[in-house]
């Protein structure tokens, strides 16, 4: 059976609620602008939380809009800049699944179609409301015969369509959950990249902070190798807010704590520490998922760099304690996770890598002993791998080999690379 992806538009495919944005445009300069906008936003939230009917919300918002076709042109231009980042970077998935990636929305085709069409979404697979206009192009209402204009409209529509396949719903609102409640879709994924509504997330089969997460849990082709929302970044001690903002904006899952609590030891992937915070040898030994540590100051005397190297943990610190380290160090950590860069690391070979990854980038951290590169390249040769680029640097006991390869390979290759003698850590990147 085919998989069908039923995707919401407002606050899912785009970062915003389109009618709310249309209100900002159409009411610009109106002395009552803010008051009217807040009322439109209130109607939106009440419907999304299931507290009023969708039709009541829709009628209330349109009556307040005072919008026309010229306002729609401005809205479309604005919405194209507000496509959710994870949908934007997974454009190839949408294009390659153009027959089964559908937009089903209580919004309006007049602004949805021009926004989603560049992503390969077919016009016939866009289901939404339509406006009614007067002779002067003013929006006067909507087509009340469209099932999507009514309460439970998405359920009514899918019953009419009677799609034969496995349906997955992706959205942020109550109307999206209703599809799951009706039994018409196999799973409902509450999309929280832009907004999280507890009344929806509590009822979802899976909470997905990004489209990357949805693709990952369903083992579907995606633009990045691993969803960053699954990488736990623990921030401990006196760390300026700008540091956590940089990492949170990049998509990592952030926890801010006064101490390195025991419950995070096994799961932490990134650790950002304020001045004077110590990490014990035992914690480092047991932090199996820890990839990088940032220290706002001189790390010497606060943790074992030797153990970090033995565990393949890249350390970034600032011996001179410069004022800008609250921004510099989290950015270095993110560059290592995102691209494999170890430039200005305290314990690793300093390697700056090309930003453009054409294929898949394989990061192999190993003990600096003779013959490792021969073993690596033998594995590549035996598996007939097309190597696009290769980099190797060593520092003390650590060797760091980075290989960009063509995407056409058997997944058994990765297992063989991990099994090479003296391997410390192995990671795959693509984006």
């Amino acid at each position: 059976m085919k998989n069908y992806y039923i995707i919401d538009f407002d606050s899912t495919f785009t970062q915003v609620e389109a009618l709310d944005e249309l209100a900002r445009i159409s009411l610009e300069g109106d002395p009552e602008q803010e008051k009217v906008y807040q009322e439109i936003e209130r109607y939106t939230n009440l419907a999304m939380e299931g507290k009023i009917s969708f039709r009541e919300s829709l009628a209330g918002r349109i009556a307040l809009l005072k919008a026309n076709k010229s306002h729609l042109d401005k809205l479309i231009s604005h919405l194209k800049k507000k496509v959710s980042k994870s949908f934007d970077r997974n454009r190839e998935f949408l294009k390659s699944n153009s027959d089964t990636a559908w937009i089903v929305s209580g919004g309006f085709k007049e602004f949805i179609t021009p926004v989603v069409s560049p992503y390969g979404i077919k016009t016939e697979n866009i289901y939404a409301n339509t406006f009614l206009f007067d002779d002067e192009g003013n929006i006067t209402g909507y087509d009340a015969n469209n099932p999507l204009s009514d309460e439970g409209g998405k359920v009514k529509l899918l019953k009419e369509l009677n799609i034969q396949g496995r349906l997955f719903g992706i959205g942020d609102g109550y109307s999206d959950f209703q599809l799951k409640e009706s039994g018409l879709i196999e799973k409902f994924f509450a999309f929280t990249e832009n907004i999280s509504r507890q009344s929806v997330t509590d009822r979802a089969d899976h909470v997905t902070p990004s489209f990357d997460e949805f693709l990952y849990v369903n083992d579907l082709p995606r633009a990045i190798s691993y969803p960053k929302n699954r990488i736990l970044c623990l921030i401990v001690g006196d760390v300026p807010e700008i540091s956590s903002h940089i990492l949170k904006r990049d998509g990592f899952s952030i926890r801010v704590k006064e101490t390195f609590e025991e419950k995070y030891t096994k799961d932490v992937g990134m650790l950002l520490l304020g001045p004077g915070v110590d990490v014990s040898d035992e914690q480092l030994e047991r932090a199996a998922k820890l990839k990088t540590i940032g220290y706002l100051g001189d790390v010497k005397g606060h943790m074992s760099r030797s153990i970090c190297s033995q565990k393949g943990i890249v350390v970034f610190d600032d011996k001179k304690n410069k004022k800008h380290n609250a921004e510099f160090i989290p950015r270095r950590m993110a560059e290592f996770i995102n691209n494999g860069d170890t430039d200005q690391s305290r314990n690793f070979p300093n390697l700056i890598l090309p930003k453009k990854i054409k294929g898949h980038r394989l990061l192999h951290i190993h003990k600096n002993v003779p013959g490792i590169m021969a073993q690596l390249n033998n594995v590549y040769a035996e598996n007939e791998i097309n190597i696009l680029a290769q980099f190797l640097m060593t520092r003390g006991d650590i060797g760091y080999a980075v290989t960009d390869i063509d995407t056409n390979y058997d997944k058994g290759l990765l297992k063989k690379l991990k099994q090479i003698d003296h391997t410390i850590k192995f990671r795959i990147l693509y984006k």
Side-chain angles (χ1 to χ4, degrees), residues 201-376:
T201 57
D202 284 350
R203 301 172 177 182
D205 292 300
H206 189 86
V207 176
T208 177
S210 66
F211 193 47
D212 308 302
E213 171 76 4
F214 170 81
L215 297 173
Y216 178 81
V217 298
N218 290 294
D219 196 24
L220 294 167
R222 55 195 178 274
I224 61 174
S225 47
Y226 190 75
K228 285 190 274 188
N229 59 270
R230 285 180 167 251
I231 300 176
L232 172 62
C233 178
L234 184 63
I235 298 176
V236 180
D238 185 16
V239 176
E241 190 175 338
I242 183 64
S243 301
S244 58
H245 174 73
I246 288 168
L247 293 168
K248 186 174 183 179
R249 184 180 58 193
D250 206 352
F252 300 107
S253 179
I254 305 296
R255 300 287 187 281
V256 180
K257 298 292 177 180
E258 293 182 3
T259 60
F260 187 179
E261 297 175 15
E262 174 60 30
K263 66 179 180 179
Y264 294 110
T265 304
K266 290 197 301 182
D267 295 323
V268 64
M270 305 168 70
L271 189 57
L272 179 58
L273 307 173
V277 176
D278 295 337
V279 180
S280 71
D281 294 354
E282 183 185 12
Q283 284 176 307
L284 288 175
E285 291 284 4
R286 291 188 293 110
K289 295 181 181 179
L290 187 55
K291 299 171 181 64
T292 181
I293 296 175
Y295 199 91
L296 302 188
D298 189 346
V299 75
K300 187 177 180 180
H302 296 287
M303 72 183 73
S304 170
R305 282 177 290 165
S306 174
I307 292 177
C308 288
S309 296
Q310 292 167 21
K311 299 282 291 181
I313 301 166
V314 182
V315 178
F316 298 98
D317 73 342
D318 183 3
K319 290 189 288 185
K320 296 181 180 179
N321 200 24
K322 297 176 183 176
K323 289 183 179 179
H324 73 291
N325 68 15
E327 298 181 39
F328 171 77
I329 290 174
R331 287 196 173 110
R332 296 279 6 111
M333 296 168 68
E335 279 300 302
F336 172 65
I337 297 296
N338 295 337
N339 200 56
D341 288 6
T342 53
D343 182 42
Q344 301 188 55
S345 158
R346 188 67 183 272
N347 65 327
F348 257 58
N350 283 191
L351 192 57
I352 303 176
L353 298 162
K355 299 299 180 190
K356 182 75 172 176
I357 302 177
K358 293 181 179 178
H360 288 184
R361 176 164 291 171
L362 310 184
L363 311 180
H364 192 273
I365 301 169
H366 51 267
K367 293 180 182 178
N368 184 18
V369 296
I372 295 292
M373 285 307 294
Q375 291 185 63
L376 279 168

Side-chain angles (χ1 to χ4, degrees), residues 83-113:
V83 173
S84 296
K85 291 180 179 179
S86 63
F87 276 99
D88 189 49
R89 64 175 162 260
N90 285 290
R91 185 186 298 243
E92 287 307 312
F93 174 84
L94 297 170
K95 286 184 175 180
S96 61
N97 290 274
S98 59
D99 288 335
T100 56
W102 293 12
I103 298 292
V104 179
S105 170
F108 289 81
K109 284 187 177 182
E110 285 83 356
F111 55 74
I112 292 176
T113 300

Side-chain angles (χ1 to χ4, degrees), residues 73-89:
D73 292 338
K74 292 181 181 179
L75 174 66
I76 291 164
S77 178
H78 176 63
L79 292 178
K80 285 181 176 181
K81 299 172 186 175
K82 290 291 182 178
V83 173
S84 296
K85 291 180 179 179
S86 63
F87 276 99
D88 189 49
R89 64 175 162 260

